[in-house]
Amino acid sequence: MSEKPKTAKQQAKDEQRASKAAKFAAKQAKLQGQQQKNPQSELDKKPTPSVPTSSFVDDTPAGQKKKLYPFDHPSFQAYSPSAIESSWYSWWESSGFFKPQFTADGQVLPVGKFVVSLPPPNITGALHAGHALANTLQDILIRWHRMRGFSTLWTPGCDHAGIATQSVVEKMLWKRKKLTRHDLGRSEFVKTAWEWKEDYHKRINNSQKLMGGSMDWSREAFTMDENLTRATVEAFCRLHSDRYIYRSKRLVNWCVQLNTALSTLEVENLEITTKTKLSVPGYERKIEFGVLTHFKYKLSDSEETIEIATTRPETMLGDTGIAVHPDDKRYAHLVGKFAVHPFIPDRRLKIVADPYVDTEFGTGAVKLTPAHDFNDYKLGETHHLDFINILNDDGTLNDNAGPQFEGQKRFDARYAVVEELKKLGLFVKQEDHAMKIPRCERSKDVVEPLIKPQWWMRMTEMADAALQSVKHGDIAISPPTAGRSYERWMSGVQDWCLSRQLWWGHQIPAYRVHFEDNSKDAPGDERWVVARSQEEALAEAEEKYPGHKISLERDPDCLEYDSHPTHISFTKLTIDSTWFSSGLWPMAILGWPNTEHLDFSRLFPTSLLESGWDILFFWIARMIMLSLKLTGKVPFTEVYCHSLIRDSDGRKMSKSLGNVIDPLDIIHGIDLDSLHAKLLTGNLDEKEVSRAKQYQKTAFPQGIPECGADALRLTLASYTTGGGDINFDIKVMHAYRRFCNKIWQASKYILGQLPDGFTPNEESTPFDLSQKWILHRLNTAVQNINNALTAREFSKSTQIIYQFFYDELCDVFIENSKAILSVGTPEERLSMANTLYTCLDGALRMMHPFMPFITEELWQRLPRKATEKEIPSIMLAPYPQNNTAQDFPEDAEQYGLVLESARAARSLIAEYGIHEGSNVYIRSSTDQIHAVIEQQRLSIKALSGKGVARLEALGPSDLDPPKCCAIFVVSSDLTALLDVSDKVTDQAAEIQKLEQKVKKAQGTVVKQEELIGRTGFDQASDVTRAAELKKLDDARTAVQNFEKTIEQFAKMQL
């Protein structure tokens, strides 16, 4: 049905309203349809180089609901993170909002459960940006599910981090008191470690609360608390009983500095290409690596020699054989013979043939040291060679190395052996050689392969079950690259060395059995029982060895670490405490091994494990394996691996580089001097402190400005594209802080426009096309953000938030609303107020999981709908869902034409600089579009700028506009034209200018098409792809517009 023609009075009123709207619209630099704003486009703006300037003191009692201060309060006139983020968290926590909600009979809510176990941060120090990223993503999903009615639980906790904590505490002791752990003794050292734990545990929890993490602190766990210890002992005992855990004397990675065995994953390989000198803990001089030393062995009963080459000449003191390839004719006559050791005359080295030998390496003859090389270990077993250990645990040589070298440190012996070989005439040469140097990830010491009796876990069967759980879809791993890595690692898993020679950690529940008469003990004979307690161990030993008087003795290896050795119930070996006990984390924190525990029975398996991909095999895979074996269930149904955070230059974050960022320094702000001062509180040496200070001067010359937790969270989420590593830039952070201020100011405006006593009308019908458009855009944003969060597209989610609130609500609708709120009828003003309220309420709810503090502060100031007056917090308010009552696709499309027409007009006006008295024509090729443009003509004119004197809507049957017009093609059916007859007097010259612009725009089109066509473009982030596609579309539009204008000017010449 067509609308009735407007009366003169109505036309006059429309003119008045449009004139008013023009004044406000003139403030807009860009309208919807232009390239959307993005905080990163504002990076040229320097962040305010200051620490917090707010002197706000919140007098809200701890744990009570925050007192709301008026907007005219000095701390609330503009966005102030310290003022806005105060008090809310303690109220949330004390009110029990973080606890899971159940039905009246204690069951999971009908919608379902969503349970996340926080990957426990190590207690070795403060949290860093990587922790902040993980916490942000987890809390976004937790809050989103809580608002959608799920029984939601996020369990916090910390990891005792055996090796890491012991290493840090030892460094601290030496730096502060010049003491070693041996000086203290085990008991005092463990006491010191607990004191360290308590201090840093509090700091870590405080940081997580300041970041807004909605964790249920009543369920907080620690990997050495009573329940986790019980779970660890139970798991070890069960796995030992099922013959998955066994004891074996094998080659392990030994860290001399930490005096403990390491898993393969705790060893990092440093690749060098030539001779290189490196610092090694315990040596004043740098040690030479990357050198291949050639020397000769004499044959037994012959003057003949055989030349070998090695990068570790000191290990020749443990040689027991020489290997050659069976097809190598050079040595065929030597196979089966023996060489004589030059320093240990009674040791003979058997020459064996084995296809493993690479004839191209060195001389083609390989020395074999089965007790100190993993490859030689296998060859030693194959050819039944002796396994001779030449190293003490502290890295000195033992008596097996011969009296000439006994007691020397291993790398001192490296040089001594070469010198002695020269004296005997057996040295041949040295040459540069590329190699990999295995180093301890923690201490940076060079790792030594060493034979040790250790506890091991059989892994093949468990790994296969864990691999099948992913292949069958019981666990989904994303992004896909992480899933492929998981499959690759799990397909080649080896048995797991559990033992760690530490003082800080869970002690293995294993007991060595001795017969008190000692008559039946044989050298090297070991009897062990594994039990949950000393009493259980004694009973098991007596049953296993009847007729003997039995004592349980602590493993003698412990004696060198304990200044007061005694016969006690535990071995000194400790479980690989970082990964074994934390491998039980998802089930143990819910009560396992008590499977009747309500949390375990209701909430296990958990829903999601979110972590960095770098510990996918370290930890995540082991949780899956242990859970499947011990509970028969997967520990979680989804794994999401976030990217690693690097500094703005793309470097890995390291304390020694000074580029590790404390999230609290971003939240509160910090000046440069204070950043420098924090470097002195750690364990960095003087050189590292100096280097770190230099980086800080470059990266943060004026310190880090106060940004607040909400800006921090939104920034980290925006970085999370599921792609490569993240280069973290503080300038991006500050841009999102400005976005928080935009939210604050826009909300102030909307709240200020609501009438006194305003009560939202949930059934209010929008009367204006712009209202229907914004409600439709809100509904679209709601659908898109729910879909994005379901797909774990965090970056896309932040773009949806930014686009709706900044580009659509603020830049278009709020500006449009001002005219109606000023000159509209009471009914129109009330309708507009309802629409503004609906948009703000929906936007705050939509943003809450990302920015909990500012959204709570503002939502508490909003009037409540009649049906929601009892909802105490926004975190318990329903999350926005698709609302068909707010779906106006046709109206939105029509208003889109209005915005596009205004954008085109403003673009032409800017291009030709006609800012006063301009005449604009909007030409439509269909009657339907023409009707919309005609109806909204005054709105388009107002939105096009105050310099527009006249704007006409031309339909298919209307006369052509003046010939001297510049053209902007909005679409194939819609064109904007600007009369430039007063501006362009020389059409030929203008055509030449336009032709140059066409060439430039065409060049951009070609460039963008090449970029978009490159391999890998589809792997770029959503934001990047959208921006590049937008550039291409703009360039193509420009070409079209310039060519159409050239045609127009050419007609004028004719």
Side-chain angles (χ1 to χ4, degrees), residues 761-783 804 808-809 813 831-843 846 881-889 891-892 895:
N761 185 347
E762 299 185 52
E763 298 184 5
S764 174
T765 302
F767 78 93
D768 182 74
L769 190 63
S770 67
Q771 289 176 260
K772 293 180 180 180
W773 172 78
I774 194 62
L775 290 174
H776 180 79
R777 295 309 303 157
L778 171 63
N779 203 38
T780 300
V782 164
Q783 294 178 64
F804 173 75
E808 296 171 347
L809 180 59
F813 186 69
S831 176
M832 182 60 73
N834 262 298
T835 302
L836 284 168
Y837 171 89
T838 300
C839 290
L840 179 58
D841 178 62
M846 191 163 57
Q881 299 296 320
N882 180 36
N883 184 355
T884 55
Q886 294 177 354
D887 206 14
F888 303 104
D891 297 277
Y895 195 72

Side-chain angles (χ1 to χ4, degrees), residues 467-602:
L467 187 56
Q468 294 306 315
S469 70
V470 174
K471 287 185 175 180
H472 293 160
D474 299 323
I475 300 175
I477 299 179
S478 60
T481 51
R484 290 192 291 270
S485 295
Y486 175 86
E487 183 174 349
R488 183 175 66 254
W489 286 334
M490 296 300 284
S491 299
V493 69
Q494 298 178 349
D495 284 5
W496 178 13
C497 177
L498 300 178
S499 304
R500 292 295 178 273
Q501 287 64 40
L502 300 171
W503 289 2
W504 173 249
H506 293 286
Q507 290 186 300
I508 289 179
Y511 303 78
R512 189 174 182 182
V513 180
H514 285 286
F515 299 156
E516 288 200 355
D517 58 14
N518 203 32
S519 58
K520 295 187 179 181
D521 282 350
D525 190 17
E526 290 187 344
R527 304 179 186 89
W528 292 90
V529 292
V530 171
R532 293 163 183 81
S533 66
Q534 184 176 4
E535 293 75 19
E536 184 180 311
L538 183 60
E540 183 177 334
E542 289 175 342
E543 181 181 351
K544 190 173 183 179
Y545 304 106
H548 294 283
K549 190 174 182 181
I550 287 171
S551 65
L552 302 179
E553 186 179 10
R554 188 178 182 177
D555 190 306
D557 279 350
C558 181
L559 298 177
E560 65 180 289
Y561 304 112
D562 196 333
S563 57
H564 302 287
T566 55
H567 284 66
I568 60 176
S569 61
F570 288 109
T571 170
K572 75 96 191 179
L573 295 177
T574 62
I575 294 175
D576 179 2
S577 48
T578 299
W579 305 119
F580 189 90
S581 59
S582 60
L584 307 170
W585 185 251
M587 55 195 196
I589 58 176
L590 296 178
W592 189 90
N594 178 12
T595 56
E596 300 302 314
H597 192 289
L598 278 177
D599 280 354
F600 187 83
S601 62
R602 292 184 299 189

Side-chain angles (χ1 to χ4, degrees), residues 230-357:
R230 185 187 307 114
T232 301
V233 170
E234 180 66 25
F236 192 95
C237 291
R238 288 193 193 183
L239 292 167
H240 179 267
S241 177
D242 291 344
R243 300 186 182 279
Y244 281 90
I245 290 179
Y246 61 93
R247 187 170 174 81
S248 177
K249 192 174 184 180
R250 292 186 178 185
L251 210 56
V252 299
N253 293 301
W254 186 260
C255 175
V256 171
Q257 178 72 6
L258 298 180
N259 239 248
T260 185
L262 305 173
S263 72
T264 303
L265 294 173
E266 291 163 325
V267 178
E268 58 183 16
N269 288 302
L270 175 65
E271 294 192 29
I272 58 175
T273 57
T274 187
K275 180 168 64 177
T276 306
K277 289 187 175 183
L278 300 174
S279 295
V280 178
Y283 293 84
E284 292 184 2
R285 64 173 171 174
K286 290 187 175 183
I287 307 302
E288 201 169 69
F289 295 89
V291 175
L292 193 64
T293 300
H294 292 248
F295 69 92
K296 296 179 290 186
Y297 274 118
K298 289 184 178 180
L299 267 62
S300 176
D301 304 323
S302 170
E303 292 301 316
E304 194 172 358
T305 62
I306 183 169
E307 183 181 331
I308 61 92
T310 179
T311 57
R312 301 162 66 209
E314 71 279 7
T315 62
M316 63 89 64
L317 299 172
D319 284 357
T320 59
I322 299 172
V324 297
H325 195 281
D327 297 333
D328 195 333
K329 297 180 180 179
R330 294 174 296 174
Y331 304 114
H333 66 292
L334 299 180
V335 175
K337 295 184 178 182
F338 292 85
V340 178
H341 201 288
F343 305 126
I344 310 167
D346 60 346
R347 189 189 301 173
R348 299 204 310 165
L349 284 61
K350 184 178 180 180
I351 301 174
V352 300
D354 195 287
Y356 166 79
V357 177

